[in-house]
Amino acid sequence: MSTENKRIRIGIVGAGGIVKSRHLPALQAMPEVEVVAVSNATLESSQTFCREHAPEAEPMEHWPELVSRDDVDVVWIGTPPMLHSEITCYALRAGKHVFCQARMARNLAEAQLMWEASISHPELVAALCPPPFGMKGDATMRRLLTEGAVGTPYHAVLHSLNGAWLNPADPAHWRQRAEISGLQVLSFGIYVEVLQRWLGDIVAVQANGAVVIPNRQGYVVEIPDFLQVGCGFRSGAQGTLIFSGVAAHAPQDALQIYGSEGTLTYNFVTDEIFLGRIGGALERVPIPDTEAKEWTVERDFITAVGNPDAPRPKPDFLEGIKYMRVVQAAAESMDGGDIVRVA
């Protein structure tokens, strides 16, 4: 199948804010793509979405019926994590390509099922939505670290703090509901994905979390409002990672990498990189145009679907399993209070 001579027909399951603001406009801008059906949480919300955003698509009440349609080539999953595994496995068995919104799944067992389904159907494109954090400077950071810009990295410090959950009167966000998000905590899984791309695999974690506001309009919150993680990389480097949804006046998300010959930092809000050698000051490192990566996620996926010889989009499900192993280990560490090796 080539994108030049055949339309690629998409069925959307879960049409929330990210689908509306990011995925759908990019898909609709591609002439070879047709959104043929949408299944949201209810038939009414599916109808509203199609009427307002995709009038060419048929609203549907039940996602299995959408996935089973003969005129659907790609299942675009925009639901919360609780449905990712079930829909993905169902779609791959039905012969559909799958794009799945992040985070991969609620836990490692669900992610494992997704990965096993994907390797059972290698002819199908299966990919996860990549994190936007660090995307622009990804190639530059990897190059600098490969070139030894800071010598041997020995300590990475990452903070991702915000005050989104500070108001105790607010209802529990779906990301605070364990039945929906599972073991996912704040932006931990997102940044694990980024860190492992830049510094290699995390092989051990010790995590400590706290539910600062446990009761939200009668719902008992179990997912931590605050999380701190110590981690060890296969290279021997150590990491200190801090996450919070209850931090007023929080600084911008950033990473500092301290090495034997200097310091390398990345600001995830401004995409600014700074490098300093021992004895010198931190100086901004420009991201060359040849290395800067813009958001082309939808185009990359559709190209791979239409051309079997095109590069498969990343992250694939194997990369997803790698960060889900760390998420699972952190949850086990919080339960037991011990250092947990990443399986």
Side-chain angles (χ1 to χ4, degrees), residues 3 6-38 49 53-57 66 72-78 97-101 125 127 129 295-306 313:
T3 56
K6 183 173 181 179
R7 296 183 68 77
I8 296 175
R9 300 160 301 181
I10 293 179
I12 297 174
V13 181
I18 294 177
V19 170
K20 292 176 186 176
S21 64
R22 177 163 283 175
H23 300 315
L24 184 65
L27 292 171
Q28 290 176 327
M30 291 180 259
E32 73 272 27
V33 169
E34 179 182 2
V35 178
V36 298
V38 174
F49 179 89
H53 303 283
E56 74 281 7
L66 179 150
V72 168
D73 304 308
V74 172
V75 175
W76 202 277
I77 302 172
H97 305 279
V98 172
F99 180 94
C100 185
Q101 186 53 245
V125 180
C129 187
W295 184 271
T296 57
V297 171
E298 297 80 12
R299 163 52 62 194
D300 295 343
F301 185 87
I302 294 301
T303 298
V305 169

Short mmCIF file of all heavy atoms in Angstrom, two decimals, residues 3 6-38 49 53-57 66 72-78 97-101 125 127 129 295-306 313:
data_model
loop_
_atom_site.label_atom_id
_atom_site.label_comp_id
_atom_site.label_asym_id
_atom_site.label_seq_id
_atom_site.Cartn_x
_atom_site.Cartn_y
_atom_site.Cartn_z
N THR A 3 0.91 5.57 0.16
CA THR A 3 0.10 6.75 0.47
C THR A 3 -0.20 7.56 -0.77
O THR A 3 -1.04 8.45 -0.74
CB THR A 3 0.83 7.63 1.49
OG1 THR A 3 2.12 7.97 0.98
CG2 THR A 3 0.99 6.94 2.82
N LYS A 6 -3.52 5.07 -2.33
CA LYS A 6 -4.59 4.50 -1.53
C LYS A 6 -4.82 5.34 -0.29
O LYS A 6 -3.89 5.73 0.39
CB LYS A 6 -4.26 3.05 -1.13
CG LYS A 6 -5.39 2.39 -0.36
CD LYS A 6 -5.14 0.92 -0.12
CE LYS A 6 -6.32 0.30 0.63
NZ LYS A 6 -6.13 -1.14 0.87
N ARG A 7 -6.07 5.57 -0.03
CA ARG A 7 -6.42 6.32 1.17
C ARG A 7 -6.23 5.46 2.41
O ARG A 7 -6.44 4.24 2.38
CB ARG A 7 -7.86 6.83 1.08
CG ARG A 7 -8.05 7.82 -0.05
CD ARG A 7 -9.46 8.36 -0.06
NE ARG A 7 -9.76 9.20 1.10
CZ ARG A 7 -9.35 10.45 1.24
NH1 ARG A 7 -8.58 11.02 0.30
NH2 ARG A 7 -9.68 11.16 2.30
N ILE A 8 -5.84 6.09 3.49
CA ILE A 8 -5.68 5.40 4.77
C ILE A 8 -6.83 5.84 5.66
O ILE A 8 -6.97 7.03 5.97
CB ILE A 8 -4.31 5.74 5.40
CG1 ILE A 8 -3.20 5.19 4.51
CG2 ILE A 8 -4.21 5.17 6.81
CD1 ILE A 8 -1.81 5.56 4.96
N ARG A 9 -7.63 4.86 6.04
CA ARG A 9 -8.88 5.15 6.75
C ARG A 9 -8.70 4.90 8.25
O ARG A 9 -8.24 3.84 8.66
CB ARG A 9 -9.99 4.28 6.17
CG ARG A 9 -10.21 4.53 4.67
CD ARG A 9 -10.93 3.40 4.00
NE ARG A 9 -10.20 2.13 4.14
CZ ARG A 9 -10.63 0.98 3.61
NH1 ARG A 9 -11.76 0.94 2.93
NH2 ARG A 9 -9.93 -0.13 3.77
N ILE A 10 -9.08 5.89 9.02
CA ILE A 10 -8.80 5.88 10.45
C ILE A 10 -10.09 5.85 11.26
O ILE A 10 -11.04 6.57 10.96
CB ILE A 10 -7.96 7.11 10.85
CG1 ILE A 10 -6.57 6.99 10.23
CG2 ILE A 10 -7.86 7.25 12.37
CD1 ILE A 10 -5.66 8.15 10.53
N GLY A 11 -10.08 5.01 12.28
CA GLY A 11 -11.13 5.01 13.29
C GLY A 11 -10.55 5.49 14.60
O GLY A 11 -9.53 4.96 15.07
N ILE A 12 -11.15 6.50 15.19
CA ILE A 12 -10.66 7.08 16.44
C ILE A 12 -11.48 6.51 17.60
O ILE A 12 -12.71 6.57 17.59
CB ILE A 12 -10.77 8.61 16.43
CG1 ILE A 12 -9.88 9.20 15.34
CG2 ILE A 12 -10.42 9.19 17.79
CD1 ILE A 12 -10.03 10.71 15.17
N VAL A 13 -10.77 5.97 18.58
CA VAL A 13 -11.41 5.50 19.81
C VAL A 13 -10.90 6.36 20.96
O VAL A 13 -9.73 6.28 21.34
CB VAL A 13 -11.11 4.02 20.09
CG1 VAL A 13 -11.82 3.56 21.36
CG2 VAL A 13 -11.53 3.14 18.91
N GLY A 14 -11.77 7.19 21.49
CA GLY A 14 -11.36 8.13 22.54
C GLY A 14 -10.97 9.46 21.93
O GLY A 14 -9.86 9.59 21.40
N ALA A 15 -11.87 10.42 21.97
CA ALA A 15 -11.66 11.69 21.27
C ALA A 15 -11.61 12.83 22.28
O ALA A 15 -12.49 13.69 22.31
CB ALA A 15 -12.74 11.92 20.23
N GLY A 16 -10.57 12.83 23.09
CA GLY A 16 -10.41 13.86 24.11
C GLY A 16 -9.63 15.06 23.62
O GLY A 16 -9.47 15.28 22.42
N GLY A 17 -9.12 15.82 24.58
CA GLY A 17 -8.49 17.08 24.26
C GLY A 17 -7.28 16.97 23.37
O GLY A 17 -7.09 17.79 22.46
N ILE A 18 -6.41 16.00 23.62
CA ILE A 18 -5.20 15.86 22.80
C ILE A 18 -5.55 15.46 21.38
O ILE A 18 -4.94 15.94 20.41
CB ILE A 18 -4.23 14.85 23.45
CG1 ILE A 18 -3.72 15.39 24.79
CG2 ILE A 18 -3.04 14.57 22.52
CD1 ILE A 18 -2.81 14.45 25.54
N VAL A 19 -6.52 14.58 21.23
CA VAL A 19 -6.96 14.20 19.89
C VAL A 19 -7.51 15.42 19.15
O VAL A 19 -7.19 15.65 17.97
CB VAL A 19 -8.02 13.08 19.96
CG1 VAL A 19 -8.66 12.86 18.59
CG2 VAL A 19 -7.38 11.78 20.44
N LYS A 20 -8.33 16.21 19.84
CA LYS A 20 -8.92 17.39 19.20
C LYS A 20 -7.87 18.43 18.82
O LYS A 20 -7.89 18.97 17.71
CB LYS A 20 -9.92 18.04 20.15
CG LYS A 20 -11.17 17.24 20.42
CD LYS A 20 -12.04 17.96 21.45
CE LYS A 20 -13.24 17.13 21.85
NZ LYS A 20 -14.03 17.78 22.92
N SER A 21 -6.95 18.70 19.73
CA SER A 21 -6.04 19.82 19.53
C SER A 21 -4.81 19.46 18.71
O SER A 21 -4.26 20.32 18.02
CB SER A 21 -5.60 20.37 20.90
OG SER A 21 -4.85 19.39 21.61
N ARG A 22 -4.39 18.21 18.78
CA ARG A 22 -3.10 17.87 18.17
C ARG A 22 -3.23 16.84 17.06
O ARG A 22 -2.82 17.09 15.93
CB ARG A 22 -2.14 17.37 19.25
CG ARG A 22 -0.78 16.92 18.73
CD ARG A 22 0.25 16.83 19.84
NE ARG A 22 0.73 18.15 20.22
CZ ARG A 22 1.57 18.37 21.24
NH1 ARG A 22 1.98 17.37 21.99
NH2 ARG A 22 1.99 19.59 21.51
N HIS A 23 -3.80 15.67 17.36
CA HIS A 23 -3.79 14.59 16.37
C HIS A 23 -4.73 14.85 15.20
O HIS A 23 -4.34 14.71 14.03
CB HIS A 23 -4.14 13.26 17.04
CG HIS A 23 -3.21 12.85 18.13
ND1 HIS A 23 -1.83 12.92 17.99
CD2 HIS A 23 -3.43 12.34 19.37
CE1 HIS A 23 -1.25 12.49 19.10
NE2 HIS A 23 -2.20 12.13 19.95
N LEU A 24 -5.97 15.19 15.50
CA LEU A 24 -6.96 15.33 14.43
C LEU A 24 -6.58 16.40 13.40
O LEU A 24 -6.66 16.13 12.19
CB LEU A 24 -8.34 15.60 15.02
CG LEU A 24 -9.47 15.67 13.98
CD1 LEU A 24 -9.66 14.32 13.32
CD2 LEU A 24 -10.77 16.14 14.64
N PRO A 25 -6.17 17.61 13.80
CA PRO A 25 -5.80 18.60 12.78
C PRO A 25 -4.68 18.11 11.87
O PRO A 25 -4.70 18.37 10.66
CB PRO A 25 -5.36 19.81 13.61
CG PRO A 25 -6.09 19.66 14.91
CD PRO A 25 -6.14 18.19 15.17
N ALA A 26 -3.70 17.40 12.45
CA ALA A 26 -2.59 16.91 11.63
C ALA A 26 -3.07 15.82 10.67
O ALA A 26 -2.64 15.77 9.51
CB ALA A 26 -1.48 16.37 12.52
N LEU A 27 -3.95 14.95 11.13
CA LEU A 27 -4.47 13.90 10.27
C LEU A 27 -5.33 14.48 9.15
O LEU A 27 -5.23 14.06 7.99
CB LEU A 27 -5.29 12.90 11.09
CG LEU A 27 -4.51 12.05 12.10
CD1 LEU A 27 -5.46 11.29 13.01
CD2 LEU A 27 -3.56 11.10 11.40
N GLN A 28 -6.15 15.44 9.48
CA GLN A 28 -7.03 16.03 8.48
C GLN A 28 -6.27 16.86 7.45
O GLN A 28 -6.79 17.11 6.35
CB GLN A 28 -8.10 16.89 9.16
CG GLN A 28 -9.12 16.07 9.94
CD GLN A 28 -10.13 16.92 10.69
OE1 GLN A 28 -9.79 18.01 11.16
NE2 GLN A 28 -11.36 16.44 10.82
N ALA A 29 -5.05 17.24 7.78
CA ALA A 29 -4.24 18.01 6.83
C ALA A 29 -3.58 17.13 5.78
O ALA A 29 -3.03 17.65 4.80
CB ALA A 29 -3.16 18.78 7.59
N MET A 30 -3.65 15.80 5.95
CA MET A 30 -3.05 14.88 5.00
C MET A 30 -4.11 14.40 4.02
O MET A 30 -5.09 13.76 4.42
CB MET A 30 -2.42 13.69 5.75
CG MET A 30 -1.20 14.06 6.55
SD MET A 30 -0.47 12.63 7.42
CE MET A 30 -1.10 12.90 9.09
N PRO A 31 -3.93 14.67 2.73
CA PRO A 31 -4.99 14.33 1.76
C PRO A 31 -5.25 12.84 1.62
O PRO A 31 -6.34 12.45 1.19
CB PRO A 31 -4.47 14.93 0.45
CG PRO A 31 -2.99 15.07 0.65
CD PRO A 31 -2.80 15.35 2.10
N GLU A 32 -4.28 12.01 1.97
CA GLU A 32 -4.46 10.56 1.83
C GLU A 32 -5.18 9.93 3.02
O GLU A 32 -5.48 8.74 3.01
CB GLU A 32 -3.11 9.88 1.62
CG GLU A 32 -2.21 9.81 2.85
CD GLU A 32 -1.33 11.02 3.02
OE1 GLU A 32 -1.71 12.12 2.56
OE2 GLU A 32 -0.25 10.88 3.62
N VAL A 33 -5.47 10.74 4.04
CA VAL A 33 -6.08 10.23 5.27
C VAL A 33 -7.56 10.58 5.30
O VAL A 33 -7.97 11.68 4.95
CB VAL A 33 -5.37 10.82 6.51
CG1 VAL A 33 -6.16 10.51 7.79
CG2 VAL A 33 -3.96 10.26 6.62
N GLU A 34 -8.35 9.60 5.75
CA GLU A 34 -9.78 9.81 5.93
C GLU A 34 -10.18 9.27 7.30
O GLU A 34 -9.94 8.11 7.62
CB GLU A 34 -10.57 9.09 4.83
CG GLU A 34 -12.08 9.24 4.96
CD GLU A 34 -12.83 8.47 3.89
OE1 GLU A 34 -12.18 7.78 3.07
OE2 GLU A 34 -14.07 8.54 3.88
N VAL A 35 -10.77 10.12 8.12
CA VAL A 35 -11.32 9.68 9.40
C VAL A 35 -12.74 9.18 9.13
O VAL A 35 -13.62 9.97 8.76
CB VAL A 35 -11.32 10.81 10.43
CG1 VAL A 35 -11.94 10.34 11.74
CG2 VAL A 35 -9.89 11.32 10.67
N VAL A 36 -12.96 7.88 9.30
CA VAL A 36 -14.24 7.30 8.89
C VAL A 36 -15.19 7.05 10.06
O VAL A 36 -16.40 6.95 9.85
CB VAL A 36 -14.01 5.97 8.12
CG1 VAL A 36 -13.22 6.23 6.85
CG2 VAL A 36 -13.32 4.94 8.99
N ALA A 37 -14.66 6.93 11.29
CA ALA A 37 -15.53 6.63 12.41
C ALA A 37 -14.89 7.11 13.71
O ALA A 37 -13.67 7.15 13.83
CB ALA A 37 -15.82 5.13 12.48
N VAL A 38 -15.75 7.45 14.67
CA VAL A 38 -15.29 7.91 15.98
C VAL A 38 -16.16 7.26 17.05
O VAL A 38 -17.39 7.29 16.97
CB VAL A 38 -15.38 9.45 16.11
CG1 VAL A 38 -15.03 9.88 17.53
CG2 VAL A 38 -14.48 10.13 15.10
N PHE A 49 -18.62 15.23 18.86
CA PHE A 49 -17.28 15.34 18.31
C PHE A 49 -17.33 15.36 16.78
O PHE A 49 -16.69 16.21 16.13
CB PHE A 49 -16.40 14.19 18.78
CG PHE A 49 -15.00 14.22 18.24
CD1 PHE A 49 -13.99 14.89 18.91
CD2 PHE A 49 -14.68 13.58 17.04
CE1 PHE A 49 -12.70 14.94 18.41
CE2 PHE A 49 -13.39 13.61 16.53
CZ PHE A 49 -12.41 14.30 17.22
N HIS A 53 -16.06 18.51 14.82
CA HIS A 53 -14.66 18.38 14.41
C HIS A 53 -14.43 17.45 13.20
O HIS A 53 -13.43 17.62 12.50
CB HIS A 53 -13.82 17.86 15.59
CG HIS A 53 -13.91 18.71 16.80
ND1 HIS A 53 -13.23 19.90 16.93
CD2 HIS A 53 -14.60 18.54 17.96
CE1 HIS A 53 -13.50 20.44 18.11
NE2 HIS A 53 -14.33 19.63 18.76
N ALA A 54 -15.29 16.48 12.99
CA ALA A 54 -15.06 15.51 11.91
C ALA A 54 -16.40 15.12 11.29
O ALA A 54 -16.88 13.99 11.44
CB ALA A 54 -14.34 14.28 12.45
N PRO A 55 -17.04 16.05 10.57
CA PRO A 55 -18.37 15.76 10.01
C PRO A 55 -18.37 14.63 8.99
O PRO A 55 -19.44 14.07 8.71
CB PRO A 55 -18.77 17.10 9.37
CG PRO A 55 -17.48 17.84 9.16
CD PRO A 55 -16.58 17.41 10.27
N GLU A 56 -17.20 14.29 8.48
CA GLU A 56 -17.13 13.19 7.51
C GLU A 56 -17.16 11.82 8.17
O GLU A 56 -17.35 10.80 7.51
CB GLU A 56 -15.84 13.33 6.68
CG GLU A 56 -14.54 12.97 7.41
CD GLU A 56 -14.01 14.04 8.34
OE1 GLU A 56 -14.70 15.06 8.56
OE2 GLU A 56 -12.88 13.86 8.85
N ALA A 57 -17.01 11.78 9.49
CA ALA A 57 -16.91 10.50 10.20
C ALA A 57 -18.25 10.09 10.78
O ALA A 57 -19.12 10.91 11.08
CB ALA A 57 -15.87 10.61 11.32
N LEU A 66 -16.44 -0.41 15.98
CA LEU A 66 -15.58 0.45 15.16
C LEU A 66 -14.34 -0.31 14.70
O LEU A 66 -13.98 -0.30 13.51
CB LEU A 66 -15.19 1.71 15.93
CG LEU A 66 -14.28 2.71 15.23
CD1 LEU A 66 -14.56 4.13 15.73
CD2 LEU A 66 -12.80 2.41 15.45
N VAL A 72 -11.83 0.35 8.16
CA VAL A 72 -10.87 0.96 9.08
C VAL A 72 -9.52 0.29 8.92
O VAL A 72 -9.39 -0.93 9.09
CB VAL A 72 -11.35 0.86 10.55
CG1 VAL A 72 -10.23 1.22 11.51
CG2 VAL A 72 -12.55 1.76 10.78
N ASP A 73 -8.51 1.06 8.56
CA ASP A 73 -7.14 0.55 8.42
C ASP A 73 -6.33 0.78 9.68
O ASP A 73 -5.45 -0.02 10.03
CB ASP A 73 -6.42 1.25 7.25
CG ASP A 73 -7.16 1.12 5.94
OD1 ASP A 73 -7.51 -0.02 5.58
OD2 ASP A 73 -7.41 2.15 5.30
N VAL A 74 -6.60 1.91 10.35
CA VAL A 74 -5.83 2.33 11.52
C VAL A 74 -6.78 2.62 12.67
O VAL A 74 -7.78 3.32 12.48
CB VAL A 74 -5.01 3.60 11.22
CG1 VAL A 74 -4.36 4.14 12.50
CG2 VAL A 74 -3.96 3.33 10.16
N VAL A 75 -6.45 2.08 13.85
CA VAL A 75 -7.19 2.44 15.06
C VAL A 75 -6.33 3.43 15.84
O VAL A 75 -5.21 3.11 16.25
CB VAL A 75 -7.52 1.20 15.91
CG1 VAL A 75 -8.19 1.62 17.21
CG2 VAL A 75 -8.42 0.25 15.12
N TRP A 76 -6.88 4.62 16.02
CA TRP A 76 -6.17 5.72 16.71
C TRP A 76 -6.74 5.83 18.11
O TRP A 76 -7.87 6.27 18.30
CB TRP A 76 -6.35 7.02 15.94
CG TRP A 76 -5.29 8.04 16.22
CD1 TRP A 76 -5.24 8.90 17.27
CD2 TRP A 76 -4.13 8.29 15.43
NE1 TRP A 76 -4.11 9.68 17.19
CE2 TRP A 76 -3.41 9.32 16.07
CE3 TRP A 76 -3.63 7.75 14.25
CZ2 TRP A 76 -2.22 9.83 15.55
CZ3 TRP A 76 -2.45 8.25 13.74
CH2 TRP A 76 -1.75 9.27 14.39
N ILE A 77 -5.98 5.41 19.12
CA ILE A 77 -6.49 5.28 20.47
C ILE A 77 -6.15 6.54 21.28
O ILE A 77 -4.99 6.83 21.53
CB ILE A 77 -5.90 4.04 21.17
CG1 ILE A 77 -6.23 2.78 20.36
CG2 ILE A 77 -6.44 3.92 22.59
CD1 ILE A 77 -5.53 1.53 20.87
N GLY A 78 -7.19 7.24 21.70
CA GLY A 78 -7.00 8.45 22.50
C GLY A 78 -7.65 8.35 23.86
O GLY A 78 -7.86 9.36 24.52
N HIS A 97 -3.60 -1.42 12.03
CA HIS A 97 -2.48 -0.69 12.58
C HIS A 97 -2.96 0.08 13.81
O HIS A 97 -4.14 0.47 13.88
CB HIS A 97 -1.91 0.29 11.55
CG HIS A 97 -1.53 -0.35 10.24
ND1 HIS A 97 -0.34 -1.01 10.05
CD2 HIS A 97 -2.20 -0.41 9.06
CE1 HIS A 97 -0.28 -1.46 8.81
NE2 HIS A 97 -1.38 -1.10 8.19
N VAL A 98 -2.06 0.32 14.77
CA VAL A 98 -2.47 0.94 16.02
C VAL A 98 -1.53 2.08 16.40
O VAL A 98 -0.31 1.91 16.47
CB VAL A 98 -2.48 -0.08 17.18
CG1 VAL A 98 -2.72 0.61 18.51
CG2 VAL A 98 -3.56 -1.13 16.94
N PHE A 99 -2.14 3.24 16.63
CA PHE A 99 -1.44 4.35 17.28
C PHE A 99 -2.10 4.54 18.62
O PHE A 99 -3.32 4.73 18.71
CB PHE A 99 -1.55 5.64 16.45
CG PHE A 99 -0.85 6.82 17.09
CD1 PHE A 99 0.45 7.13 16.74
CD2 PHE A 99 -1.50 7.60 18.03
CE1 PHE A 99 1.10 8.21 17.34
CE2 PHE A 99 -0.87 8.68 18.62
CZ PHE A 99 0.44 8.98 18.27
N CYS A 100 -1.30 4.52 19.69
CA CYS A 100 -1.84 4.58 21.05
C CYS A 100 -1.31 5.79 21.79
O CYS A 100 -0.09 6.01 21.84
CB CYS A 100 -1.49 3.30 21.81
SG CYS A 100 -2.25 3.21 23.45
N GLN A 101 -2.21 6.53 22.37
CA GLN A 101 -1.84 7.68 23.18
C GLN A 101 -1.05 7.23 24.40
O GLN A 101 -1.24 6.12 24.91
CB GLN A 101 -3.11 8.43 23.61
CG GLN A 101 -2.89 9.72 24.33
CD GLN A 101 -1.99 10.67 23.57
OE1 GLN A 101 -0.90 10.98 24.04
NE2 GLN A 101 -2.41 11.13 22.42
N VAL A 125 1.83 -1.71 11.84
CA VAL A 125 2.54 -0.64 12.53
C VAL A 125 1.86 -0.41 13.88
O VAL A 125 0.65 -0.18 13.93
CB VAL A 125 2.54 0.66 11.72
CG1 VAL A 125 3.28 1.76 12.47
CG2 VAL A 125 3.17 0.43 10.34
N ALA A 127 2.54 1.83 17.40
CA ALA A 127 3.40 2.86 17.99
C ALA A 127 2.67 3.59 19.10
O ALA A 127 1.44 3.64 19.15
CB ALA A 127 3.84 3.86 16.93
N CYS A 129 2.41 7.31 21.32
CA CYS A 129 2.65 8.74 21.15
C CYS A 129 3.90 9.13 21.93
O CYS A 129 4.00 8.83 23.13
CB CYS A 129 1.46 9.53 21.65
SG CYS A 129 1.58 11.30 21.31
N TRP A 295 7.31 18.53 15.78
CA TRP A 295 6.25 17.53 15.94
C TRP A 295 5.75 17.07 14.57
O TRP A 295 5.06 17.80 13.86
CB TRP A 295 5.10 18.13 16.75
CG TRP A 295 4.02 17.13 17.05
CD1 TRP A 295 2.93 16.84 16.28
CD2 TRP A 295 3.92 16.29 18.20
NE1 TRP A 295 2.16 15.87 16.87
CE2 TRP A 295 2.75 15.52 18.06
CE3 TRP A 295 4.72 16.11 19.34
CZ2 TRP A 295 2.34 14.59 19.01
CZ3 TRP A 295 4.32 15.19 20.28
CH2 TRP A 295 3.14 14.43 20.12
N THR A 296 6.12 15.87 14.18
CA THR A 296 5.64 15.26 12.93
C THR A 296 5.10 13.86 13.21
O THR A 296 5.18 12.97 12.36
CB THR A 296 6.77 15.19 11.89
OG1 THR A 296 7.87 14.43 12.44
CG2 THR A 296 7.27 16.57 11.50
N VAL A 297 4.57 13.67 14.39
CA VAL A 297 4.19 12.34 14.87
C VAL A 297 3.16 11.69 13.97
O VAL A 297 3.29 10.52 13.57
CB VAL A 297 3.65 12.45 16.32
CG1 VAL A 297 3.03 11.15 16.77
CG2 VAL A 297 4.78 12.88 17.25
N GLU A 298 2.11 12.44 13.62
CA GLU A 298 1.05 11.86 12.80
C GLU A 298 1.56 11.53 11.40
O GLU A 298 1.26 10.45 10.86
CB GLU A 298 -0.13 12.83 12.72
CG GLU A 298 -0.78 13.10 14.07
CD GLU A 298 -0.04 14.10 14.94
OE1 GLU A 298 0.88 14.78 14.41
OE2 GLU A 298 -0.37 14.22 16.14
N ARG A 299 2.34 12.44 10.82
CA ARG A 299 2.91 12.19 9.50
C ARG A 299 3.83 10.98 9.51
O ARG A 299 3.79 10.15 8.60
CB ARG A 299 3.63 13.44 9.01
CG ARG A 299 4.60 13.25 7.85
CD ARG A 299 3.99 12.54 6.66
NE ARG A 299 2.89 13.28 6.06
CZ ARG A 299 2.03 12.74 5.18
NH1 ARG A 299 2.15 11.46 4.85
NH2 ARG A 299 1.06 13.46 4.67
N ASP A 300 4.66 10.85 10.52
CA ASP A 300 5.59 9.72 10.60
C ASP A 300 4.82 8.40 10.65
O ASP A 300 5.21 7.41 10.01
CB ASP A 300 6.48 9.84 11.84
CG ASP A 300 7.41 11.05 11.76
OD1 ASP A 300 7.60 11.59 10.66
OD2 ASP A 300 7.93 11.45 12.83
N PHE A 301 3.74 8.38 11.42
CA PHE A 301 2.97 7.14 11.54
C PHE A 301 2.28 6.79 10.23
O PHE A 301 2.34 5.64 9.77
CB PHE A 301 1.94 7.28 12.66
CG PHE A 301 1.19 6.01 12.94
CD1 PHE A 301 1.69 5.07 13.83
CD2 PHE A 301 -0.01 5.73 12.30
CE1 PHE A 301 1.01 3.89 14.08
CE2 PHE A 301 -0.71 4.55 12.54
CZ PHE A 301 -0.19 3.63 13.44
N ILE A 302 1.63 7.75 9.62
CA ILE A 302 0.91 7.49 8.38
C ILE A 302 1.87 7.08 7.27
O ILE A 302 1.57 6.19 6.45
CB ILE A 302 0.09 8.74 7.97
CG1 ILE A 302 -1.02 9.00 8.99
CG2 ILE A 302 -0.48 8.56 6.57
CD1 ILE A 302 -2.00 7.86 9.17
N THR A 303 3.04 7.68 7.24
CA THR A 303 4.04 7.29 6.24
C THR A 303 4.44 5.83 6.40
O THR A 303 4.57 5.09 5.42
CB THR A 303 5.29 8.19 6.35
OG1 THR A 303 4.91 9.54 6.07
CG2 THR A 303 6.37 7.76 5.37
N ALA A 304 4.62 5.39 7.65
CA ALA A 304 4.98 4.00 7.90
C ALA A 304 3.86 3.04 7.52
O ALA A 304 4.11 1.94 7.02
CB ALA A 304 5.36 3.81 9.36
N VAL A 305 2.63 3.45 7.75
CA VAL A 305 1.49 2.61 7.36
C VAL A 305 1.41 2.48 5.84
O VAL A 305 1.16 1.40 5.30
CB VAL A 305 0.17 3.20 7.91
CG1 VAL A 305 -1.04 2.51 7.30
CG2 VAL A 305 0.14 3.08 9.43
N GLY A 306 1.65 3.58 5.15
CA GLY A 306 1.53 3.57 3.70
C GLY A 306 2.71 3.01 2.96
O GLY A 306 2.60 2.58 1.81
N PRO A 313 7.76 4.25 13.26
CA PRO A 313 7.76 5.37 14.21
C PRO A 313 8.15 4.90 15.61
O PRO A 313 7.93 3.76 15.99
CB PRO A 313 6.32 5.86 14.16
CG PRO A 313 5.53 4.69 13.68
CD PRO A 313 6.41 3.92 12.76
#
